[in-house]
Amino acid sequence: MTYEELMQKAIEVSEKAYCPYSKFPVGACVMTDDGAIYTGCNFENSSFGMTICAERNAIGSAIAEGKRKIKAVAIFSPVQDNCAPCGACRQVIHEFCDNDNDVDIILQNGNDLKIFTLAQLLPESFNL
Ligand code: THU
């Protein structure tokens, strides 16, 4: 799948977001090292801290299918251009790759895509 197609999947799943509190929908589409695709949206809770981000929702689906290596993540919000992953999600993406330089984070920038590596977005990541 192309990065444009990954972004299209992220756009589509953002319509499923459950975000009555923030009114900030997010969709994410993860591609694993075998080329498989997993989508997720954010879902909130009246106990705000229980909110799950779109990225971690998508990653959870990949993990449940036995996947362990992320190659790319496309992220989209209809209410914010260049919606970038939160710090927690950056660390979770890091958990499932061998090299942060090899993971592309794809954002929607107007009619274009803006692409970062995970290494750019998460310098000095935490490792046990
Ligand atoms: N959100 C995500 O889904 N991903 C991020 O990386 C940042 C934040 C969601 C969580 C919450 O439902 C809403 O955006 C506002 O924080």
Side-chain angles (χ1 to χ4, degrees):
M1 247 194 204
T2 65
Y3 283 175
E4 285 76 14
E5 288 170 322
L6 286 192
M7 183 56 74
Q8 188 54 41
K9 296 274 185 199
I11 291 169
E12 285 167 20
V13 73
S14 75
E15 291 168 19
K16 304 288 198 316
Y18 176 75
C19 52
Y21 306 106
S22 73
K23 302 193 184 339
F24 192 94
V26 184
C29 183
V30 166
M31 183 167 68
T32 49
D33 58 347
D34 58 351
I37 297 300
Y38 301 91
T39 59
C41 58
N42 55 330
F43 61 99
E44 300 181 344
N45 193 276
S46 58
S47 177
F48 296 158
M50 294 174 70
T51 290
I52 303 291
C53 289
E55 298 89 326
R56 279 178 287 151
N57 190 11
I59 292 166
S61 294
I63 297 306
E65 289 295 319
K67 308 302 169 63
R68 293 291 185 269
K69 299 294 173 204
I70 294 172
K71 285 299 293 177
V73 185
I75 301 155
F76 176 80
S77 175
V79 298
Q80 188 181 82
D81 224 22
N82 287 307
C83 178
C86 76
C89 288
R90 295 177 198 201
Q91 182 70 29
V92 171
I93 297 165
H94 169 73
E95 183 76 16
F96 298 107
C97 71
D98 289 329
N99 187 333
D100 292 354
N101 292 296
D102 296 337
V103 180
D104 284 333
I105 307 295
I106 305 149
L107 312 183
Q108 183 81 37
N109 180 32
N111 289 325
D112 298 324
L113 298 181
K114 193 167 188 176
I115 301 170
F116 296 93
T117 65
L118 181 60
Q120 288 176 296
L121 298 186
L122 190 70
E124 303 299 332
S125 58
F126 175 75
N127 295 284
L128 269 185

